[in-house]
Structure formats: C-alpha cells, structure tokens
Amino acid sequence: MKFGVIVFPGSNCDRDIVTVTRGLLNQPTRMIWHTETDVSDCDVVVIPGGFSYGDYLRCGAIARFSPVMAAVSDHARRGRIVLGICNGFQVLSESGLLPGALVRNRNLQFVCNRVSLKVERNDLAYTTAYTKGQVIEVPIAHGEGCYYADAATLEDLEASAQVVFRYTNSDGLVTPEANPNGSLNNIAGICNKAGNVLGMMPHPERASDPALGATDGLPFFKSLVACLAVV
Amino acid sequence: MSAPTVAAPHSLADLARLRVSPQEYAQIVELLGRHPNRNELGMFSVMWSEHCCYKNSRPLLKGFPTTGARILVGPGENAGVVDIGDGLRVAFKIESHNHPSAVEPFQGAATGVGGILRDIFTMGARPIASLNSLRFGPLEDPRNRRLFAGVVNGIAHYGNCVGVPTVGGEVYFDETYTGNPLVNAMGIGVMETPEIVRSGASGIGNPVLYVGSTTGRDGMGGASFASAELSEASTKDRPAVQVGDPFTEKSLIEACLEAFRTGAVVAAQDMGAAGLTCSSAEMAAKGGVGIEMDLDLVPVRETGMTPFEYLLSESQERMLFVAHKGREAELIALFERWGLHAVVVGTVIQEPIVRIQHRGEVVVELPARALTDDAPLYPRPVLSEPPAAIQVLRQMDLSQLPVPEDWTAVLHKLLDSPTIASKRWVYQQYDQQVLNNTVILPGAADAAVLRVRPQTFGIGEVGAVPLGNRGLAATIDCNSRYVYLDPYRGAMLAVAEAARNLSCVGAEPIAVTDNLNFGSPEKPESYWQLAEACRGIADACRALDTPVTGGNVSLYNETLVDGHAQGIYPTPTIGMVGIVEDIAKTGTLNFKAAGDLVYLLGVATKPTLGASEYLKVIHGLVGGEPPVLDLDLEKQVQAVCRQGIVQGLFKSAHDVSEGGLVVALAESCIAGNLGMTGLLDDPLSGFGEVASQIAVSAAPEDRHKVESWLTEMLGDRWHALGVVRPTLFEITFKTVSHSISAPVVDLRHTWEQAIPRRMASPTEASS
C-alpha cells in the first residue's frame, strides 16, 4: 500500500498529506514532481491543495496540462484511486476526471473554517471507516470552492449517488446556513461513477492529527489503508 | 577601469525629490571626496532613509537588551533566531508596510507579508506562521472600510497562496489611524539548515548570484517613500508600491531551503527595501569585502531600464547569494527546476566597494560602508517632561463622569466596539492551518500555538516524518492609547501584555521583535514619544527576560489633513514568542463546563478608567493615566498561570485587557457557549482597565487544591469571582444595585456582528 502525492509548483498542502500518510499512518509515501510521467508504483495518488502554477488563470486550469496529469488520468482509467483535495478537486474538474466546476465562493471571500459534513456513502475505499450519514467536522480553506454543474449533470450526480460529502449543520441537516460557499446541493465532495476518483474541497488531512485537536478526517485515510491492504 | 563620471552637482530640487537633505549631501561629498553621480545619489537616498538605516531611531534602540541564553542571532541580521530546545531553532521578525498599504492596501499588505517571509527563509528557516498587527480609522468612514478590506484581502491573498498559515495578531480601530493605517506583519520560521545562513559576503572571487523573479520598474524608491509623511499627493506615488507574486515566493522558499542544504551558498540576502542597492551594499559591508556587479546580466521584465532604475527597483521575490566558486552551476540548475531565475551577476572582490557596471561602463563605485555604516545618525534632545497637551489629558478628572444606569447596555456597547469585537471577519479569510502544525486557532486563546518541526522532506520516497510535541506560542500586542498618554509606561504595558498572553496559553516568553510605528522624529513631541517608548520596552524586556532580537522602525506616520500634520498614536507593537514544552498542555480562553469556578489572578491595584476603552466608547473621552504596572507582580501572576495550565489545574485562562474584567469574562463565556454568575465590588472594577490580571477557571472538585495553591503562590493577590453557568451572564456589584444580566447568545450576537455589520455598508469605489 503506497501513497503518491503530486507536487506542482505552488502546491502547498503536499507535506500536510505526507504528514498524515507517512507521519501518522506510517505508510510508504512518495512525493511526485509535476514533470514525472509514471505514477504506477503508487496505489493512491493524491492531488493536494495549494495554488498550482499560481492559479492565475482559473484554479487548476494550468495544472491539467502538466506531464504528470496524463499519468494520473491513466491511473484513474485503470480503476486505481485518485483523490483531489481542495486545489486537487479543482484540477480534477478542469481535467474532466470529475464533472462540474468550482467557482468563486458566494461571498467572494476566501473562507477558512471548520464545517460539518455528512458522509453520504460509506461503501467507497476512502469512506468505509465512517458510518453512512455520519456527520464529521473538517476544515475548509478556499476562495473558489463553490461547486457548480448544469441541471442535467447535477441530477445525474445525485441519481448515481456520486455526492460523497455534503455540507450540513451539526445535526446533519442540509441547510443554506450550513453551506459555506454557495455550492449547489451543498456539495462538498463528489466521486466519478466508478467511485475511484474523488474530489473534495474540505481538508481531511487537517483533521487527522490528535495533537492538533481534530481527528474526524483520520478515518478517511484509515479506510484507504484498510481497504487496500486487503487487495 | 575608470571611476564613474560625475555629473554637475545636483540641484536642490533633485535632492528634495530624492529626500536627501543638503546637509546629508555635504556629508556624502565629504565621504567620497567627490560629488556622487545620479545613480550613486539614488543609492544614498534609499540607504540613508530611516527605513534602511534607522538614522533617527538607532541611538534609542541601543538600550534594548539583546542577548540571552536562548538568543542565537540578535539584531542586525535578516531575522532574530532563538533556541527553543530539543535542537529546534526558530527565526522570527516583524516588519511594517504602513505607507504602501495606505496608498494601495491590497498590494501594500500583500508585499508586507512577502517581505517578512523572505527575511525568515533567507536565514535558512522554513516559514511556519505569520501574524499581523493592523490599525485603521473607524469603520463608519467608507475610506477606512476600503483600506481595512483591502489590507485583509492582501494579507489573505499572499499568505494563503504562499502556504504559510496566518495564525494570530490584533486589530484596533481609532480615529488616529484614519488615512494612515498600520500594517505590521510578523513571520516565524523553523531552521532547516545546520548552519544559520548569514548575509556577510566572503571569499574573494566567489560568484554573486541573482535568484528569483525579474527586475522591473515597480516599487521605485519605496524605502524613501516610506520614510516621509503621507499627503494628499501620496496616492500619486503608487509606482512606489511593489506588486507581489506569492506563487513565485512559494517556489523561492522551496528552492532557497534546498539550495542552503547543499552547502553551496556562502551568504544570502533578500532584496527588500532598496533592492539590488541594499542587498549588495549590506552583503559587502557586513563581510568587509567588495562586490562587483554587471546590470546587463540581471534578468528583467521590461526593456530600456536605466542603471538608476535597476538599482532602486523594489521588484519582489528576489534574492542575492554569494556561492562557493565552482558550485554556481549546481545552484542554477536547482533554481531553474523551480522555474526561477538564477544568474551569476557579479563577483566578490577584495576592495571594500560596490562597483556596478552597465553597458561596459562603471556607473557606480562607492565604498560599501559609506552606504551602510557611515549613514548619518541623528541623536536628538529629548523633552525633559511630557508635552503640555499630554499633561492636561493625563490630569483629566474622571471622578465626575455621568454614571450609566444600564450596565448591561454598557457591556453590549463595549462588545460592539470593533476593537473589542470578534475578529472572525478578518481571520476567516486567512488560511490558519496549512502545514498541519496549528495547535491553537485564532480566536481560541490569547496567543497562537504551533507545533514546531522541520519539514525537510521533498520529492521522492519520504523517510520518517517525526512529529514531536514541542511548540511555540506567538502574539503581537500594543495598546497605543496607553502609549499616547504615557509612552514609557504604555510601552512597558505592551511588553507585559504580550508576555501575559503567552502565559495564558501556558508558554514561557523568551524573546521579542518590535515594530516602532511613530510620527515624525523631527517633531519634539514625537521624538519624546519614541525615546520614552524605547526606554519602556528596554526596561520591561529586561525585567521579563525577553531580549529584543530585532524589529523594524516606521516613522513619519502622519497624515496631512487640510495642510495640518496629524500624528498617529505612538504604536510600538510587540511581537513575542514563547516556548510550549508540550503541545498537549496548553490553555485556551473559553470556559469549559457549567459549575467550574472562576478566579481572578493578580488582584492588587484598583482598575482605572484612565485610557480605557470604556472611557472612549461610553463617554467619548481619551484621558487619565494608563494602568500602573508592577513588574514583580506581573512575573508572579504569569508564572502561576503557566504552572496552573501545565499542571492541568486551570481549564481556561484569559487576560484582562481592553474593556476590563467584565469584557474578559464575557469573552470566555461567548467562546465556551456558557454563562456565569459573578460578584464584583463595583462597576469600576468591572470596566476599568488594569495590568497583570488573568481570569482563570478550574473544576469544582479542585477547589481546595487550587485555592490553597493560589494562596501559597500569590498570598492575597487573587480572589474567587464566581461560577460558570449554562446560559446566562450575570454580574452583580457589591456597591450598586444595578447588575449585568444577559443571555450569552445575545452577547455573542453583538460581539460577532460588530465588524460584519459595519462592513456590510458599501465601501467607496476603489479608484
């Protein structure tokens, strides 16, 4: 079981992921430079948060053209796990590996906060350690995290249960007040139809270390370790 | 090679434009034995500015204690470095970007963050946190709202993108800062190189490398711009404000730290104020050597730049290195991998001069020391007694103030004061957690707490990632109204409060970086404020054993209103760091459970309404004397607070500051979503302000243990205040029948909405 963490110039949550996978969970982890073309040694590829290439165009719009993204797409096509967190989600949607787009937050401000999420599915490699419907508290930190998709796409996402995490209040209710950025249907994270590609704006890696006082994100990584160790 | 040609002597108008006084010009001519040419004069203008050479403040800074067992690097380098134990070393420094932020708040504040982070990683330390201290005029004025929003957005933009968490700070609002906001940014880093990287050049024949971003015409003469009063015409000085690129800075951080670890770098200096001029002169002067540079080799972002423009450009995200001869190719390849420029632009030479060539001609040839060590010093006479206007204010009779009938309304009004109110609107825009080290988030305690660990791992298979449990606490503090009314005591109170805030999270204060924001030193009352404040900082830092490791001086913080110069409140902000032995044992300010007992530590002198937020907000007055400070009591109270937290006796701790004890208790209730009942002597004890007091809470089962320990440690200088309750905030007074009673949800609403409510009003068009 091995994690790979993609590093673009401007990535800044790469070490945060490594801190969890290698530091807390003691799993083999490789940091992968954006010019590399082979990620096949890794079971799970994580595209971390940050501002890839500065994100001066649209978030993730340049990163999708980097050499490593061809390898990541290939990894996904083979049914292996690809996780995009924050900027990683933006890169995955720009790359077409996930539907929809992330646009500027409703209030046009960057928002850093701890929010409640409902785990909509626990049958995925990265959610098995949660219970279905469990409400967890995970940090967010983004300026462009408002999930948008056209009506048909949205309907399709819901019909095929591709919404994995949804912003809710602490009771698990989907309310407008619980939506930190204006995302449609309070969407915080979605997967592809096969479930092996996930994109999410919240940062589970920032809620994994007991020393920092929050651990609701740790089961996300533990699920992967457990599921993939079996394979 | 011929000496540079010298143009005819410069006109007085030229000198005025460059902000070089005729006396300074005469001094330059005497030092050189000739007239400087225009390029050289430009270099003197920035190097001899207050911003670069501290010509007005240096004589006053000499009194600071700067050494101690934990101090590895004191003032004089890019940042101070302290030893926090377990082999961990921390670099930290504060710097102002007041004038740029007044003219262009977004870029002014953004580049302030970029600049202070460069000071940190230039030392070989990975930046792990920033804090900031901000001051604006009242939010009722749309101009202030625009500046406030712009500055916060600029800090967020740069800090979030560069990937360094913004973990704490302070924000004040007062009329004195209208038009001249203060933006002080503090950077903290953990050393990732075995040797601390210094800035003195050495090794004759070693190559000088220019690394990072390109040079353009942005930020021309920013240092001398920052060293003059702002005026209506200052907005025309926008070219003097730099433009930041946090993406490049992030790559520069990674590339520099990697480069330092190769051992190929001899010395490094960031190009901040005065860019190429300052970095080359300082590296040469500090090393006692010379530097020869060719401007034609410097990577540029525009064509046709004159030597003058190259030398005075303050384009951001640039550094100057001296490398070991023969290893330049390795460094160039490393920087290019990060998409950054790295070019050999010169050589270290024996002769202690800075020699600059452009198109085959020598355009500058100056003794390095003439630009640095020989800069003028202006020791000035200090007023022997406070200015008359201040004496009148201090003697204000506060005994005859009208007495409010509704003390609950008074509390609401204070919680609605933006200076006291929740700063969530601000810190919610900052990434507070990136790097996965933030133990205590903004708003949760009196200081930020971070886990400290190097993160040297990079591309490739990752080895062990040790996490450790050692931490660092950090804070920035200054109540400038105190300093205005009594600069000596006010500055001491700022140091004491910073240390107290660290103690409230359980950290042991160890060192200081200070940012002196004052008015024009040419005005006797401003210089008196500066001198008195420096004396106060020195005395307090000595007493609390927190040496000063460096800092920044920002003078000429005055705005011209209708042709009348108006000085800001003297504002010596104190950035302080402290050691947290174990990040599992820290204190936060929120009450934890109904039934817990609330105590007040440091009960000695009666609180005063002098200089208080109550006096300002409720009565619209500024006057009286700030609280008295007993440094022995201060140390004792702080030690007790730290021990109580580390031993697990105190479940919360919050210092009493603006708004007094009642506000401090309300804040602990709001943060904990709990109420309390308490009994105080009188409203003055509740709303007056005081030094050395901390409100703590403890579990009821620990009552006997806590109380006997407090008596042992503090004698009678503590007392019980009340009990934490589920929902209602109730304070009664022994001497008056009126009491304070409000549901905590209501208090929370007032406190949380104070700033968002004001910011919801439209801001002025940002033209």
mmCIF file with all atom_site columns, all heavy atoms in Angstrom, chain A residues 1 7 19 31 58 67 88 99 113 138 146 173-174 178 180 193 197 206-207 217-218:
data_model
loop_
_atom_site.group_PDB
_atom_site.id
_atom_site.type_symbol
_atom_site.label_atom_id
_atom_site.label_alt_id
_atom_site.label_comp_id
_atom_site.label_asym_id
_atom_site.label_entity_id
_atom_site.label_seq_id
_atom_site.pdbx_PDB_ins_code
_atom_site.Cartn_x
_atom_site.Cartn_y
_atom_site.Cartn_z
_atom_site.occupancy
_atom_site.B_iso_or_equiv
_atom_site.pdbx_formal_charge
_atom_site.auth_seq_id
_atom_site.auth_comp_id
_atom_site.auth_asym_id
_atom_site.auth_atom_id
_atom_site.pdbx_PDB_model_num
ATOM 1   N N   . MET A 1 1   ? 0.845   -1.199 0.000   1.00 0.00 ? 1   MET A N   1
ATOM 2   C CA  . MET A 1 1   ? 0.000   0.000  0.000   1.00 0.00 ? 1   MET A CA  1
ATOM 3   C C   . MET A 1 1   ? 0.881   1.250  0.000   1.00 0.00 ? 1   MET A C   1
ATOM 4   O O   . MET A 1 1   ? 1.655   1.463  0.932   1.00 0.00 ? 1   MET A O   1
ATOM 5   C CB  . MET A 1 1   ? -0.881  -0.045 1.269   1.00 0.00 ? 1   MET A CB  1
ATOM 6   C CG  . MET A 1 1   ? -1.527  1.279  1.637   1.00 0.00 ? 1   MET A CG  1
ATOM 7   S SD  . MET A 1 1   ? -2.683  1.778  0.364   1.00 0.00 ? 1   MET A SD  1
ATOM 8   C CE  . MET A 1 1   ? -2.999  3.443  0.843   1.00 0.00 ? 1   MET A CE  1
ATOM 9   N N   . VAL A 1 7   ? 3.241   16.995 -6.594  1.00 0.00 ? 7   VAL A N   1
ATOM 10  C CA  . VAL A 1 7   ? 3.702   18.336 -6.226  1.00 0.00 ? 7   VAL A CA  1
ATOM 11  C C   . VAL A 1 7   ? 3.831   19.183 -7.492  1.00 0.00 ? 7   VAL A C   1
ATOM 12  O O   . VAL A 1 7   ? 4.693   18.942 -8.329  1.00 0.00 ? 7   VAL A O   1
ATOM 13  C CB  . VAL A 1 7   ? 5.070   18.284 -5.507  1.00 0.00 ? 7   VAL A CB  1
ATOM 14  C CG1 . VAL A 1 7   ? 5.483   19.698 -5.074  1.00 0.00 ? 7   VAL A CG1 1
ATOM 15  C CG2 . VAL A 1 7   ? 5.003   17.357 -4.296  1.00 0.00 ? 7   VAL A CG2 1
ATOM 16  N N   . THR A 1 19  ? 2.389   14.214 5.950   1.00 0.00 ? 19  THR A N   1
ATOM 17  C CA  . THR A 1 19  ? 2.439   14.164 7.413   1.00 0.00 ? 19  THR A CA  1
ATOM 18  C C   . THR A 1 19  ? 1.449   13.121 7.940   1.00 0.00 ? 19  THR A C   1
ATOM 19  O O   . THR A 1 19  ? 1.728   12.420 8.910   1.00 0.00 ? 19  THR A O   1
ATOM 20  C CB  . THR A 1 19  ? 2.128   15.566 7.984   1.00 0.00 ? 19  THR A CB  1
ATOM 21  O OG1 . THR A 1 19  ? 3.168   16.439 7.571   1.00 0.00 ? 19  THR A OG1 1
ATOM 22  C CG2 . THR A 1 19  ? 2.051   15.547 9.503   1.00 0.00 ? 19  THR A CG2 1
ATOM 23  N N   . MET A 1 31  ? 6.620   11.639 -2.909  1.00 0.00 ? 31  MET A N   1
ATOM 24  C CA  . MET A 1 31  ? 6.211   12.938 -3.440  1.00 0.00 ? 31  MET A CA  1
ATOM 25  C C   . MET A 1 31  ? 6.619   12.974 -4.911  1.00 0.00 ? 31  MET A C   1
ATOM 26  O O   . MET A 1 31  ? 7.764   12.708 -5.257  1.00 0.00 ? 31  MET A O   1
ATOM 27  C CB  . MET A 1 31  ? 6.848   14.071 -2.636  1.00 0.00 ? 31  MET A CB  1
ATOM 28  C CG  . MET A 1 31  ? 6.303   14.124 -1.200  1.00 0.00 ? 31  MET A CG  1
ATOM 29  S SD  . MET A 1 31  ? 7.087   15.369 -0.158  1.00 0.00 ? 31  MET A SD  1
ATOM 30  C CE  . MET A 1 31  ? 6.213   16.852 -0.664  1.00 0.00 ? 31  MET A CE  1
ATOM 31  N N   . ARG A 1 58  ? -7.482  30.098 -14.195 1.00 0.00 ? 58  ARG A N   1
ATOM 32  C CA  . ARG A 1 58  ? -8.575  29.539 -13.391 1.00 0.00 ? 58  ARG A CA  1
ATOM 33  C C   . ARG A 1 58  ? -7.939  28.474 -12.529 1.00 0.00 ? 58  ARG A C   1
ATOM 34  O O   . ARG A 1 58  ? -6.998  27.824 -12.980 1.00 0.00 ? 58  ARG A O   1
ATOM 35  C CB  . ARG A 1 58  ? -9.605  28.881 -14.307 1.00 0.00 ? 58  ARG A CB  1
ATOM 36  C CG  . ARG A 1 58  ? -10.857 29.641 -14.525 1.00 0.00 ? 58  ARG A CG  1
ATOM 37  C CD  . ARG A 1 58  ? -11.892 28.859 -15.345 1.00 0.00 ? 58  ARG A CD  1
ATOM 38  N NE  . ARG A 1 58  ? -11.421 27.671 -16.020 1.00 0.00 ? 58  ARG A NE  1
ATOM 39  C CZ  . ARG A 1 58  ? -10.993 27.641 -17.285 1.00 0.00 ? 58  ARG A CZ  1
ATOM 40  N NH1 . ARG A 1 58  ? -10.959 28.743 -17.990 1.00 0.00 ? 58  ARG A NH1 1
ATOM 41  N NH2 . ARG A 1 58  ? -10.587 26.521 -17.835 1.00 0.00 ? 58  ARG A NH2 1
ATOM 42  N N   . PRO A 1 67  ? 2.746   17.350 -17.335 1.00 0.00 ? 67  PRO A N   1
ATOM 43  C CA  . PRO A 1 67  ? 3.054   15.970 -17.752 1.00 0.00 ? 67  PRO A CA  1
ATOM 44  C C   . PRO A 1 67  ? 2.457   14.922 -16.810 1.00 0.00 ? 67  PRO A C   1
ATOM 45  O O   . PRO A 1 67  ? 1.941   13.900 -17.255 1.00 0.00 ? 67  PRO A O   1
ATOM 46  C CB  . PRO A 1 67  ? 4.583   15.930 -17.717 1.00 0.00 ? 67  PRO A CB  1
ATOM 47  C CG  . PRO A 1 67  ? 5.008   17.359 -17.888 1.00 0.00 ? 67  PRO A CG  1
ATOM 48  C CD  . PRO A 1 67  ? 3.941   18.190 -17.257 1.00 0.00 ? 67  PRO A CD  1
ATOM 49  N N   . GLY A 1 88  ? -6.718  20.217 -5.565  1.00 0.00 ? 88  GLY A N   1
ATOM 50  C CA  . GLY A 1 88  ? -6.730  18.947 -6.281  1.00 0.00 ? 88  GLY A CA  1
ATOM 51  C C   . GLY A 1 88  ? -8.095  18.671 -6.909  1.00 0.00 ? 88  GLY A C   1
ATOM 52  O O   . GLY A 1 88  ? -8.190  18.134 -8.026  1.00 0.00 ? 88  GLY A O   1
ATOM 53  N N   . PRO A 1 99  ? -17.028 15.709 -13.065 1.00 0.00 ? 99  PRO A N   1
ATOM 54  C CA  . PRO A 1 99  ? -17.900 16.688 -13.711 1.00 0.00 ? 99  PRO A CA  1
ATOM 55  C C   . PRO A 1 99  ? -18.030 17.971 -12.891 1.00 0.00 ? 99  PRO A C   1
ATOM 56  O O   . PRO A 1 99  ? -17.730 17.990 -11.695 1.00 0.00 ? 99  PRO A O   1
ATOM 57  C CB  . PRO A 1 99  ? -19.238 15.956 -13.761 1.00 0.00 ? 99  PRO A CB  1
ATOM 58  C CG  . PRO A 1 99  ? -19.208 15.001 -12.607 1.00 0.00 ? 99  PRO A CG  1
ATOM 59  C CD  . PRO A 1 99  ? -17.765 14.609 -12.423 1.00 0.00 ? 99  PRO A CD  1
ATOM 60  N N   . ASN A 1 113 ? -12.411 27.763 7.768   1.00 0.00 ? 113 ASN A N   1
ATOM 61  C CA  . ASN A 1 113 ? -13.299 27.478 8.888   1.00 0.00 ? 113 ASN A CA  1
ATOM 62  C C   . ASN A 1 113 ? -13.359 25.973 9.113   1.00 0.00 ? 113 ASN A C   1
ATOM 63  O O   . ASN A 1 113 ? -12.813 25.205 8.330   1.00 0.00 ? 113 ASN A O   1
ATOM 64  C CB  . ASN A 1 113 ? -14.701 28.022 8.583   1.00 0.00 ? 113 ASN A CB  1
ATOM 65  C CG  . ASN A 1 113 ? -15.458 28.388 9.847   1.00 0.00 ? 113 ASN A CG  1
ATOM 66  O OD1 . ASN A 1 113 ? -15.071 28.009 10.952  1.00 0.00 ? 113 ASN A OD1 1
ATOM 67  N ND2 . ASN A 1 113 ? -16.541 29.112 9.688   1.00 0.00 ? 113 ASN A ND2 1
ATOM 68  N N   . VAL A 1 138 ? -14.685 18.977 9.568   1.00 0.00 ? 138 VAL A N   1
ATOM 69  C CA  . VAL A 1 138 ? -13.435 19.021 8.798   1.00 0.00 ? 138 VAL A CA  1
ATOM 70  C C   . VAL A 1 138 ? -13.171 20.475 8.374   1.00 0.00 ? 138 VAL A C   1
ATOM 71  O O   . VAL A 1 138 ? -14.113 21.203 8.073   1.00 0.00 ? 138 VAL A O   1
ATOM 72  C CB  . VAL A 1 138 ? -13.563 18.097 7.549   1.00 0.00 ? 138 VAL A CB  1
ATOM 73  C CG1 . VAL A 1 138 ? -12.283 18.124 6.725   1.00 0.00 ? 138 VAL A CG1 1
ATOM 74  C CG2 . VAL A 1 138 ? -13.880 16.656 7.964   1.00 0.00 ? 138 VAL A CG2 1
ATOM 75  N N   . CYS A 1 146 ? -17.029 26.913 -4.630  1.00 0.00 ? 146 CYS A N   1
ATOM 76  C CA  . CYS A 1 146 ? -18.476 26.831 -4.878  1.00 0.00 ? 146 CYS A CA  1
ATOM 77  C C   . CYS A 1 146 ? -18.713 25.858 -6.024  1.00 0.00 ? 146 CYS A C   1
ATOM 78  O O   . CYS A 1 146 ? -18.384 26.147 -7.180  1.00 0.00 ? 146 CYS A O   1
ATOM 79  C CB  . CYS A 1 146 ? -18.995 28.229 -5.213  1.00 0.00 ? 146 CYS A CB  1
ATOM 80  S SG  . CYS A 1 146 ? -20.707 28.242 -5.740  1.00 0.00 ? 146 CYS A SG  1
ATOM 81  N N   . LEU A 1 173 ? -28.347 18.184 8.899   1.00 0.00 ? 173 LEU A N   1
ATOM 82  C CA  . LEU A 1 173 ? -29.392 18.724 8.023   1.00 0.00 ? 173 LEU A CA  1
ATOM 83  C C   . LEU A 1 173 ? -28.771 19.622 6.963   1.00 0.00 ? 173 LEU A C   1
ATOM 84  O O   . LEU A 1 173 ? -27.910 20.454 7.247   1.00 0.00 ? 173 LEU A O   1
ATOM 85  C CB  . LEU A 1 173 ? -30.414 19.524 8.842   1.00 0.00 ? 173 LEU A CB  1
ATOM 86  C CG  . LEU A 1 173 ? -31.202 18.711 9.859   1.00 0.00 ? 173 LEU A CG  1
ATOM 87  C CD1 . LEU A 1 173 ? -32.080 19.625 10.711  1.00 0.00 ? 173 LEU A CD1 1
ATOM 88  C CD2 . LEU A 1 173 ? -32.055 17.658 9.141   1.00 0.00 ? 173 LEU A CD2 1
ATOM 89  N N   . VAL A 1 174 ? -29.209 19.428 5.745   1.00 0.00 ? 174 VAL A N   1
ATOM 90  C CA  . VAL A 1 174 ? -28.709 20.233 4.629   1.00 0.00 ? 174 VAL A CA  1
ATOM 91  C C   . VAL A 1 174 ? -29.453 21.567 4.632   1.00 0.00 ? 174 VAL A C   1
ATOM 92  O O   . VAL A 1 174 ? -30.621 21.631 4.265   1.00 0.00 ? 174 VAL A O   1
ATOM 93  C CB  . VAL A 1 174 ? -28.933 19.497 3.288   1.00 0.00 ? 174 VAL A CB  1
ATOM 94  C CG1 . VAL A 1 174 ? -28.441 20.348 2.120   1.00 0.00 ? 174 VAL A CG1 1
ATOM 95  C CG2 . VAL A 1 174 ? -28.224 18.148 3.309   1.00 0.00 ? 174 VAL A CG2 1
ATOM 96  N N   . ALA A 1 178 ? -25.672 26.211 6.418   1.00 0.00 ? 178 ALA A N   1
ATOM 97  C CA  . ALA A 1 178 ? -24.542 25.298 6.586   1.00 0.00 ? 178 ALA A CA  1
ATOM 98  C C   . ALA A 1 178 ? -23.646 25.269 5.346   1.00 0.00 ? 178 ALA A C   1
ATOM 99  O O   . ALA A 1 178 ? -22.609 24.616 5.340   1.00 0.00 ? 178 ALA A O   1
ATOM 100 C CB  . ALA A 1 178 ? -25.046 23.886 6.878   1.00 0.00 ? 178 ALA A CB  1
ATOM 101 N N   . PRO A 1 180 ? -21.029 26.827 3.140   1.00 0.00 ? 180 PRO A N   1
ATOM 102 C CA  . PRO A 1 180 ? -20.049 27.903 3.366   1.00 0.00 ? 180 PRO A CA  1
ATOM 103 C C   . PRO A 1 180 ? -19.675 28.693 2.118   1.00 0.00 ? 180 PRO A C   1
ATOM 104 O O   . PRO A 1 180 ? -19.037 29.730 2.219   1.00 0.00 ? 180 PRO A O   1
ATOM 105 C CB  . PRO A 1 180 ? -18.819 27.145 3.883   1.00 0.00 ? 180 PRO A CB  1
ATOM 106 C CG  . PRO A 1 180 ? -18.915 25.804 3.232   1.00 0.00 ? 180 PRO A CG  1
ATOM 107 C CD  . PRO A 1 180 ? -20.388 25.505 3.094   1.00 0.00 ? 180 PRO A CD  1
ATOM 108 N N   . LYS A 1 193 ? -18.323 7.912  -11.477 1.00 0.00 ? 193 LYS A N   1
ATOM 109 C CA  . LYS A 1 193 ? -19.327 6.835  -11.386 1.00 0.00 ? 193 LYS A CA  1
ATOM 110 C C   . LYS A 1 193 ? -18.745 5.575  -10.764 1.00 0.00 ? 193 LYS A C   1
ATOM 111 O O   . LYS A 1 193 ? -19.381 4.906  -9.961  1.00 0.00 ? 193 LYS A O   1
ATOM 112 C CB  . LYS A 1 193 ? -19.893 6.531  -12.779 1.00 0.00 ? 193 LYS A CB  1
ATOM 113 C CG  . LYS A 1 193 ? -20.858 7.592  -13.260 1.00 0.00 ? 193 LYS A CG  1
ATOM 114 C CD  . LYS A 1 193 ? -21.990 6.986  -14.082 1.00 0.00 ? 193 LYS A CD  1
ATOM 115 C CE  . LYS A 1 193 ? -23.224 7.866  -14.149 1.00 0.00 ? 193 LYS A CE  1
ATOM 116 N NZ  . LYS A 1 193 ? -22.989 9.257  -14.547 1.00 0.00 ? 193 LYS A NZ  1
ATOM 117 N N   . VAL A 1 197 ? -12.339 7.883  -8.278  1.00 0.00 ? 197 VAL A N   1
ATOM 118 C CA  . VAL A 1 197 ? -11.819 9.249  -8.332  1.00 0.00 ? 197 VAL A CA  1
ATOM 119 C C   . VAL A 1 197 ? -12.691 10.142 -7.456  1.00 0.00 ? 197 VAL A C   1
ATOM 120 O O   . VAL A 1 197 ? -13.908 10.203 -7.655  1.00 0.00 ? 197 VAL A O   1
ATOM 121 C CB  . VAL A 1 197 ? -11.801 9.795  -9.784  1.00 0.00 ? 197 VAL A CB  1
ATOM 122 C CG1 . VAL A 1 197 ? -11.272 11.236 -9.793  1.00 0.00 ? 197 VAL A CG1 1
ATOM 123 C CG2 . VAL A 1 197 ? -10.955 8.897  -10.683 1.00 0.00 ? 197 VAL A CG2 1
ATOM 124 N N   . ARG A 1 206 ? -6.175  17.851 7.524   1.00 0.00 ? 206 ARG A N   1
ATOM 125 C CA  . ARG A 1 206 ? -6.014  18.832 8.601   1.00 0.00 ? 206 ARG A CA  1
ATOM 126 C C   . ARG A 1 206 ? -6.825  18.449 9.842   1.00 0.00 ? 206 ARG A C   1
ATOM 127 O O   . ARG A 1 206 ? -6.817  19.165 10.828  1.00 0.00 ? 206 ARG A O   1
ATOM 128 C CB  . ARG A 1 206 ? -6.462  20.214 8.129   1.00 0.00 ? 206 ARG A CB  1
ATOM 129 C CG  . ARG A 1 206 ? -5.602  20.764 7.023   1.00 0.00 ? 206 ARG A CG  1
ATOM 130 C CD  . ARG A 1 206 ? -6.002  22.188 6.699   1.00 0.00 ? 206 ARG A CD  1
ATOM 131 N NE  . ARG A 1 206 ? -5.235  22.676 5.565   1.00 0.00 ? 206 ARG A NE  1
ATOM 132 C CZ  . ARG A 1 206 ? -5.292  23.914 5.112   1.00 0.00 ? 206 ARG A CZ  1
ATOM 133 N NH1 . ARG A 1 206 ? -6.095  24.793 5.686   1.00 0.00 ? 206 ARG A NH1 1
ATOM 134 N NH2 . ARG A 1 206 ? -4.568  24.278 4.078   1.00 0.00 ? 206 ARG A NH2 1
ATOM 135 N N   . ALA A 1 207 ? -7.555  17.375 9.739   1.00 0.00 ? 207 ALA A N   1
ATOM 136 C CA  . ALA A 1 207 ? -8.322  16.907 10.902  1.00 0.00 ? 207 ALA A CA  1
ATOM 137 C C   . ALA A 1 207 ? -7.960  15.451 11.159  1.00 0.00 ? 207 ALA A C   1
ATOM 138 O O   . ALA A 1 207 ? -8.819  14.577 11.242  1.00 0.00 ? 207 ALA A O   1
ATOM 139 C CB  . ALA A 1 207 ? -9.817  17.062 10.649  1.00 0.00 ? 207 ALA A CB  1
ATOM 140 N N   . GLY A 1 217 ? -10.998 13.539 10.206  1.00 0.00 ? 217 GLY A N   1
ATOM 141 C CA  . GLY A 1 217 ? -10.515 13.220 8.868   1.00 0.00 ? 217 GLY A CA  1
ATOM 142 C C   . GLY A 1 217 ? -9.679  11.964 8.826   1.00 0.00 ? 217 GLY A C   1
ATOM 143 O O   . GLY A 1 217 ? -9.418  11.411 7.749   1.00 0.00 ? 217 GLY A O   1
ATOM 144 N N   . LEU A 1 218 ? -9.261  11.494 9.981   1.00 0.00 ? 218 LEU A N   1
ATOM 145 C CA  . LEU A 1 218 ? -8.359  10.345 10.007  1.00 0.00 ? 218 LEU A CA  1
ATOM 146 C C   . LEU A 1 218 ? -8.987  9.071  9.423   1.00 0.00 ? 218 LEU A C   1
ATOM 147 O O   . LEU A 1 218 ? -8.318  8.337  8.683   1.00 0.00 ? 218 LEU A O   1
ATOM 148 C CB  . LEU A 1 218 ? -7.842  10.108 11.430  1.00 0.00 ? 218 LEU A CB  1
ATOM 149 C CG  . LEU A 1 218 ? -6.679  9.140  11.570  1.00 0.00 ? 218 LEU A CG  1
ATOM 150 C CD1 . LEU A 1 218 ? -5.482  9.564  10.727  1.00 0.00 ? 218 LEU A CD1 1
ATOM 151 C CD2 . LEU A 1 218 ? -6.255  9.005  13.036  1.00 0.00 ? 218 LEU A CD2 1
#
